[in-house]
Each structure stands twice: as C-alpha cells, then as structure tokens.
C-alpha cells in the first residue's frame, strides 16, 4: 500500500516542501530510501525500525521503498525520521490519507520512539504557512520556535506514539502559541551598555558615526586599550532591530542550529570568530553548504580581533559579502545563497609589539616591521572600511572617575534619527544608509561647502590621501552632518571625517 507524508528540506534559509512517499509491497524484507538522501537520511531506516517496534507497533516484514520528492534536491539531516515512520504506519492502514497529508511533519527519532529536536523549524514553519497546510508537527523543543509564524497551528510532540495519536484524533493536543510582540520585547535588551566604558570619548563618537551610517570600522590601538570592550557595545547603539529583521536573523541561526533553545533572536548578533578560522567557516561551506560567521552576523556585527593575524585567503573572501550583503556558495549539488547584511568591525595593534606611537611604552619594532605588519591587510579590504580610528591607552584618571558617560539608549536615539534622515533621502533607491552610496550618490548628496572643499583639498595634498580615502571621507562627512541634522556638509564635518582615516595619515 502507498502513503504520502509531507515534510520539508532547507535550501539556504528557505524551506522547500518534500513529499515522503512510502510504498510497502510484497517481497523479501528490504528498506530502500531514494531521492538524493545523504548519510543521516540513509541511516534513518534503522532508527525508524527500532522506534516503531519499541513504540508498540508492528514493523512490516515486507519490501519498503521511501521516495523523497523532488528527487533532484539533496536531502540531509535527521528530520525525515518521523514522517517516514508515520508514512509506514499509514501504508499499513493505521492512518488515512487526509490525516497524514494535512500536516507538515519533521523530527528525529531515537530508538525508543522519542522525538528529538532538529534544525530549521522556523523556515519550515514559514513554508507550511505558504503552502496552506493545516498544521505543523515538530519536536516539543522546536514548538516555540516554529510558533513564531502566525496562521499555522504548531503541535509539539515528544514521542512517535503521541504524533500517531494526534493524527488519528485519539489524543488531541493544544497547539503551541507564542505572543511574538511580547517575546520580542522581553528579549530585546542587551547585557552590556556604553556607560560601562571609561574615557575614550572620541572613539565612542566614531562608533556612533559608524552606527549612524552603517560604516565598517577599524580600531587601531595598543593591547588593553579597550578595543574589544568598545566593539561589543556597538550592537547596543545600532538602530532597533525590527520584527522582520529578527525573524530573518532567527531563520539563519535555526538552519545553523545555534538558537540554543531561543524562540526568537531579538537583539543584533555579535560574532567574534577566532583568527584561526578557515574561509569555509567564515563565509559558509561544506558538501551541503551551511551558514558561516558572516551569515550568523546578519543584521548585526562581525568583529575580527587581531585582524592581521587572520589568514589572507580568509580576509579576501569577505570582499563579496561586504559588497553584496549576501554570500553565494556553489557546490556540485547547486548554489545556495545566504544573507550577510553586516557591519564589519575589526581591531588591530599598530605594530607587532603593539606599542607603536604609545607614549607610555617603547616600541621595539623597526619601521620595516611596522610596515610589514600593516601590509598583511590588503588594499581591497581596506577599501570597504570607511572609518579607521586610533584607540589610545586609558589613563588612570579616566579609569578612576566615578562619572559615567552616556548610556546606549541615549546614543541609539541619535542614531535612529540619523538613519531616518537617510531612509527619507534614499527612499527611491534600494539603499538604506550612507555606507551603501555609489559614486553617483556621492556626487549628488556629498558636496561640501567652500570651506569643506578647501580643507579636503589641503588634506589630499599634505597627507597624501588616496582616491579611496577621498570617497570614504565624503561618505563619513555626510553621516556626521546627518547626526547634526544639517543639510550641508561643512568644513567641521570634513575635518572630523579626516580624523577617522588613521592608517591613511600614516
């Protein structure tokens, strides 16, 4: 007898409907799975057989063929265990066609029939809603995550028997409900705040400018000057995460399996990969590509500490994500695109020993060593970093000061106001902040007044600034003017933007 259950596959961060066709026919006992199954799917036959027997049902001693359609899409993971088991029971006449095909089903089975959590419940819930299915049956641990999607009934089950009794109506379950707005509000607070940082007022200002314009940022300073501490607080002043952005971010982490029990990510991600990371770990990869660090930082901050210590090939693969805000990974099985709309924040020492230019410590590096150390960062990568700011050592007086600076909420208010100005300016374009401006946009929106023009000309000549630095200065000056709610770019705005080109000034 033939039966069909409904499940789903993950293609990037989107769900794809998969029909799990089960045919139980006369013949020697055999269990075959077709439809491009990878290792974990092929091994499901042993888990399904034991789970059915240990749940009190009879496993058919006949020829069983499972087809996962569409057959040209590679199937991976253990989420097909539960629909395959229920499909076998339906093929034996225990469930009707309507009962089985009305719900999307996913879950991994243990040998005793327990249902274990899986990855990608949120994207598959979105798929179930789009396909108009009656409901979604998922492991209990995934129920809250999937219930973030409105207009689809989500049922969390803990055993195969519980799923079977739910479908045949013998033991109805209440669907899992989540108040998304309440959940979003409850989890939208950060554990750190800018008023934790003593001193470094000019660096805080640079971070505020970077957040306001979406500019990538490089912090240059000696060890212990607070570069990491400052970077960790940048997400707290970025524009408030919207519910749409939160769901999109949660989908990425759901696919990667990094939700850690959370139903919704309501704060901007902050990812800090170690400098030994591979290029596949950074942008994603594998035989069936998984999201990398740039995608896990989607709508948030990717922080690269000790930037020159990262391998050159790892830094070079960042160029496309920074330019396009997405990552496309091509493999033999096809191409997968993951979102990667990030702010890049990097930190580095000024030299190998870390004390070049520090008045409190003597630098032991020769000029050649300093140049060699900084040359580890390629020009094309620096092209995509608008702000380079020096972070000096903090003095004792500032550390012992009892007065705290502005908190993150106050700074975020100004950032939101500046972003609103930019949204109005670019409402006819597909860009959302000053950092995304093209050359044409710069000519249109970044014309300084006479004093600013003269100051920029002098800086280009005396400091030997490049054409790259010229466009970056204009972009940053535009953001500084937006923070001041001023239409024109003045000499003061240009002067401040020039100060944010630490490496270009030598």
């Amino acid at each position: 007898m033939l039966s069909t259950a409904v499940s789903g596959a993950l293609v990037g961060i989107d769900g794809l409907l998969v029909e799990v066709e089960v045919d139980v026919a006369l013949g020697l006992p055999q269990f075959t799975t077709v439809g491009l199954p990878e290792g974990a799917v092929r091994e499901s036959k042993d888990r399904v057989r034991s789970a059915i027997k240990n749940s009190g049902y009879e496993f058919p001693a006949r020829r069983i063929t499972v087809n996962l359609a569409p057959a040209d899409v590679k199937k991976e993971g253990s989420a097909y265990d539960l629909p395959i088991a229920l499909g076998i029971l339906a093929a034996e006449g225990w469930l009707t066609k309507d009962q089985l095909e009305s719900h999307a089903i996913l879950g991994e089975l243990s040998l005793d029939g327990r249902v274990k959590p899986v990855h990608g419940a949120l994207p598959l819930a979105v798929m179930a809603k789009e396909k108009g299915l009656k409901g979604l049956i998922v492991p209990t641990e995934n129920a809250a995550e999937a219930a973030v999607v409105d207009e689809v009934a989500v049922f969390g089950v803990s055993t195969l028997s519980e799923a079977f009794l739910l479908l045949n109506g013998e033991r109805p379950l209440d669907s899992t409900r989540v108040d998304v707005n309440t959940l979003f509000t409850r989890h939208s607070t950060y554990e750190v705040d800018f008023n934790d940082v003593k001193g470094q007022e000019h660096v805080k200002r640079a971070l505020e400018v970077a957040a306001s314009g979406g500019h990538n940022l490089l912090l240059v300073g000696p060890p212990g000057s607070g570069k990491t501490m400052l970077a960790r607080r940048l997400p707290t002043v970025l524009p408030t995460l919207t519910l749409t952005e939160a769901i999109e971010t949660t989908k990425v982490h759901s696919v990667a399996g990094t939700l850690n029990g959370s139903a919704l990510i309501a704060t901007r991600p902050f990812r800090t990969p170690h400098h030994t990371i591979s290029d596949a770990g950074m942008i994603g990869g594998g035989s069936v590509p998984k999201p990398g660090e740039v995608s896990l930082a989607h709508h948030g901050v990717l922080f690269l500490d000790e930037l020159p210590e990262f391998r050159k090939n790892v830094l070079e693969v960042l160029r496309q994500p920074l330019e396009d805000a997405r990552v496309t990974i091509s493999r033999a099985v096809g191409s997968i695109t993951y979102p990667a709309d990030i702010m890049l924040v990097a930190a580095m020492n000024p030299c190998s020993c870390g004390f070049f230019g520090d008045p409190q410590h003597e630098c032991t590096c020769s000029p050649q060593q300093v140049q060699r150390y900084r040359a580890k960062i390629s020009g094309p990568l620096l092209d995509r970093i608008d702000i380079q700011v020096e972070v000096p050592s903090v003095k004792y007086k500032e550390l012992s000061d009892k007065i705290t600076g502005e908190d993150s909420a106050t700074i975020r208010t100004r950032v939101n106001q500046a972003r609103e100005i930019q949204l109005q300016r670019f409402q006819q374009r597909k860009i959302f902040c000053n950092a995304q401006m093209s050359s044409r946009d710069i000519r249109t929106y970044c014309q300084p007044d006479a004093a600013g023009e003269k100051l920029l000309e002098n800086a280009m000549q005396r400091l030997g600034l490049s054409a790259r630095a010229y466009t970056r200065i204009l972009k940053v000056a535009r953001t500084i003017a937006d923070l001041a709610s001023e239409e024109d770019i003045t000499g003061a705005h240009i002067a401040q933007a020039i100060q944010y080109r630490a490496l270009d000034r030598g």
Side-chain angles (χ1 to χ4, degrees):
M1 185 175 176
L2 178 68
S3 69
T4 302
V6 178
S7 189
L10 294 171
V11 181
I13 62 169
D14 298 316
L16 174 70
L17 188 142
V18 172
E19 292 184 351
V20 181
E21 299 174 327
V22 180
D23 180 52
V24 179
L26 295 175
L28 294 175
Q30 186 177 357
F31 196 127
T32 305
T33 303
V34 297
L36 282 184
E38 57 89 47
V41 183
R42 289 195 297 269
E43 292 172 353
S44 66
K45 60 184 179 181
D46 298 312
R47 295 190 296 270
V48 168
R49 180 184 292 107
S50 296
I52 289 177
K53 289 181 177 179
N54 293 326
S55 297
Y57 305 104
E58 183 179 350
F59 188 84
R62 283 178 283 175
R63 180 183 179 88
I64 300 174
T65 303
V66 176
N67 178 45
L68 305 175
D72 60 344
V73 177
K74 195 172 184 67
K75 317 301 187 308
E76 63 160 347
S78 54
Y80 301 103
D81 291 4
L82 184 58
I84 289 174
L86 292 171
I88 292 173
L89 295 178
E92 289 290 278
W94 295 95
L95 293 172
T96 66
K97 177 179 178 180
D98 292 340
Q99 290 171 332
L100 191 61
E101 295 183 356
S102 60
H103 294 74
I105 306 166
L106 58 145
E108 176 185 342
L109 288 174
S110 63
L111 300 184
D112 60 359
R114 288 179 292 114
V115 181
K116 296 183 177 181
V118 296
H119 298 167
L122 179 58
L124 295 176
V126 174
M127 178 272 297
K129 175 183 176 180
E130 293 173 348
K131 297 298 182 180
L133 296 175
K134 183 178 179 181
L136 179 68
I137 298 176
V138 298
T140 302
E141 292 87 343
N142 294 119
E145 173 193 341
V148 169
V149 180
D150 295 329
E151 300 176 19
V152 58
V154 177
F155 300 94
V157 296
S158 55
T159 64
L160 171 61
S161 297
E162 193 174 344
F164 174 80
L165 295 174
L166 168 67
L167 287 175
N168 70 9
E170 293 184 33
R171 188 184 299 172
L173 294 176
D174 293 330
S175 61
T176 302
R177 298 185 180 276
V178 171
D179 188 335
V180 178
N181 292 323
T182 300
L183 185 68
F184 185 71
T185 302
R186 185 189 310 142
H187 294 286
S188 60
T189 57
Y190 294 89
E191 297 180 356
V192 296
D193 198 281
F194 254 98
N195 60 15
D196 300 330
V197 182
K198 298 293 184 68
Q200 307 290 21
E201 295 303 324
H202 79 287
V203 185
K204 294 179 185 177
R205 170 65 176 177
L207 289 169
E208 180 180 341
V209 173
S212 298
H215 302 288
N216 297 323
L217 177 72
L218 175 62
L219 303 173
V220 184
S225 57
K227 301 186 295 294
T228 301
M229 185 178 188
L230 286 159
R232 286 189 179 278
R233 282 151 181 78
L234 180 58
T236 68
V237 299
L238 286 172
T240 307
L241 195 69
T242 65
L243 183 57
T244 301
E245 290 175 332
I247 291 177
E248 191 173 42
T249 303
T250 306
K251 286 170 69 176
V252 177
H253 286 259
S254 175
V255 170
T258 57
L259 282 180
N260 299 322
S262 301
L264 184 69
I265 294 178
T267 56
R268 294 193 178 273
F270 182 83
R271 302 293 298 186
T272 58
H274 194 261
H275 66 261
T276 57
I277 191 173
S278 66
D279 51 356
M282 183 65 78
I283 67 166
S287 57
V288 178
K290 292 294 186 181
E293 289 293 332
V294 292
S295 295
L296 294 174
H298 183 53
H299 290 314
V301 174
L302 177 67
F303 178 56
L304 304 183
D305 200 6
E306 304 295 342
L307 182 65
E309 303 302 326
F310 283 80
R311 289 195 290 269
K312 187 177 181 63
N313 64 308
V314 174
L315 295 179
E316 292 305 307
V317 297
L318 288 174
R319 289 159 56 183
Q320 184 239 343
L322 291 176
E323 193 74 26
D324 301 334
R326 64 180 183 273
V327 174
T328 301
I329 306 169
S330 298
R331 293 291 185 271
V333 296
S335 295
I336 293 179
T337 298
Y338 289 112
D341 186 3
I342 63 170
M343 270 190 66
L344 175 66
V345 179
M348 61 178 285
N349 297 330
C351 64
S352 298
C353 74
F355 298 111
F356 179 76
D358 188 347
Q360 301 178 15
H361 299 84
E362 181 181 357
C363 176
T364 60
C365 301
S366 67
Q368 291 78 13
Q369 288 175 315
V370 174
Q371 181 61 29
R372 192 181 306 116
Y373 180 77
R374 295 188 177 187
K376 292 181 179 180
I377 308 170
S378 69
L381 181 61
L382 281 177
D383 274 348
R384 292 159 176 81
I385 299 179
D386 294 348
I387 297 177
Q388 307 159 4
V389 62
E390 294 173 328
V391 185
S393 299
V394 184
K395 298 179 180 179
Y396 172 78
K397 182 179 179 181
E398 295 174 327
L399 288 173
S400 60
D401 195 346
K402 298 298 189 294
I403 300 176
T404 59
E406 287 185 308
D407 60 14
S408 295
T410 302
I411 300 174
R412 192 191 309 121
T413 299
R414 296 196 295 267
V415 170
N416 282 330
Q417 291 171 351
R419 284 290 184 107
E420 186 61 34
I421 292 173
Q422 294 164 49
L423 289 175
Q424 292 295 325
R425 177 183 300 131
F426 304 125
Q427 59 182 340
Q428 303 300 327
R429 303 288 309 282
K430 292 184 178 181
I431 58 178
F432 306 99
C433 59
N434 290 333
Q436 299 172 346
M437 285 192 291
S438 64
S439 298
R440 185 181 68 178
D441 297 319
I442 292 174
R443 290 193 298 270
T444 304
Y445 301 113
C446 300
Q447 294 300 319
D449 62 11
E453 188 74 42
K454 184 64 176 178
L455 180 60
L456 186 53
E457 181 183 355
N458 290 338
M460 293 287 292
Q461 294 175 351
R462 296 184 181 182
L463 300 177
L465 299 179
S466 64
R468 173 184 71 216
Y470 172 79
T471 59
R472 296 297 182 265
I473 289 171
L474 288 176
K475 284 184 178 183
V476 174
R478 177 69 270 169
T479 301
I480 295 170
D482 290 341
L483 274 169
S485 299
E486 296 182 9
E487 182 66 28
D488 298 327
I489 298 177
T490 67
H493 304 145
I494 293 292
Q496 187 176 346
I498 292 173
Q499 293 299 311
Y500 295 150
R501 300 299 302 179
L503 295 185
D504 287 327
R505 299 199 312 272

